[in-house]
């Protein structure tokens, strides 16, 4: 587990683009707890501002699926992490590229 200084928690992430980290970083982990009765997706965008993302239109740079009422089991990130040049904007949706919100509690690890 990463030290608290390297973790960012996003409680009740939904279908609204939310700024997670506002500068260059390396994403090392994503763990999402899906609180809905259907699969949900955490969409991740390389962006410096939430306003730079239009859900349903802007393609995510990475996405993590969580099964119904279950945590994500793995994020599939490369061992060395995933570089986000501008920052990380995230949203939780009911489909991979959609805009309808799904409530998830997400923990991001970055360096």
């Amino acid at each position: 587990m990463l030290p608290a200084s390297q973790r960012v928690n996003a409680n009740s992430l939904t279908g609204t683009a939310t700024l997670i980290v506002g500068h260059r970083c390396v994403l090392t982990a994503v763990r999402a707890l899906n609180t809905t009765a259907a699969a949900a997706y955490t969409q991740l965008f390389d962006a410096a501002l939430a306003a730079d993302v239009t859900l349903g239109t802007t393609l995510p740079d990475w996405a993590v699926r969580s099964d119904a009422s279950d945590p994500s089991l793995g994020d599939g990130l490369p061992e060395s992490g995933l570089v986000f040049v501008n920052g990380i904007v995230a949203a939780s949706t009911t489909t991979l590229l959609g805009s309808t919100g799904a409530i998830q509690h997400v923990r991001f690890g970055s360096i």
Side-chain angles (χ1 to χ4, degrees), residues 23-107:
H23 53 79
R24 184 186 191 285
C25 65
V26 178
L27 183 66
T28 58
V30 178
R31 296 292 182 262
L33 176 59
N34 181 359
T35 61
T36 68
Y41 297 83
T42 303
Q43 295 185 43
L44 305 172
F45 304 89
D46 189 339
L49 302 169
D52 295 337
V53 173
T54 302
L55 291 178
T57 301
T58 307
L59 291 177
D61 293 281
W62 200 265
V64 177
R65 178 191 162 135
S66 299
D67 289 330
S69 302
D70 203 12
S72 58
L73 298 176
D75 49 38
L77 292 172
E79 261 186 54
S80 58
L82 192 62
V83 176
F84 284 79
V85 175
N86 300 299
I88 300 173
V89 171
S92 175
T93 57
T94 58
T95 59
L96 179 61
L97 302 176
S99 60
T100 302
I103 298 173
Q104 293 193 86
H105 305 292
V106 185
R107 178 178 288 167

Side-chain angles (χ1 to χ4, degrees), residues 1-8 26 28 107-111:
M1 178 179 287
L2 288 171
S5 63
Q6 294 177 326
R7 284 193 317 254
V8 178
V26 178
T28 58
R107 178 178 288 167
F108 301 91
S110 67
I111 55 172

Side-chain angles (χ1 to χ4, degrees), residues 7-25:
R7 284 193 317 254
V8 178
N9 294 329
N11 292 323
S12 300
L13 191 64
T14 63
T16 301
T18 303
L19 181 65
I20 303 300
V21 177
H23 53 79
R24 184 186 191 285
C25 65

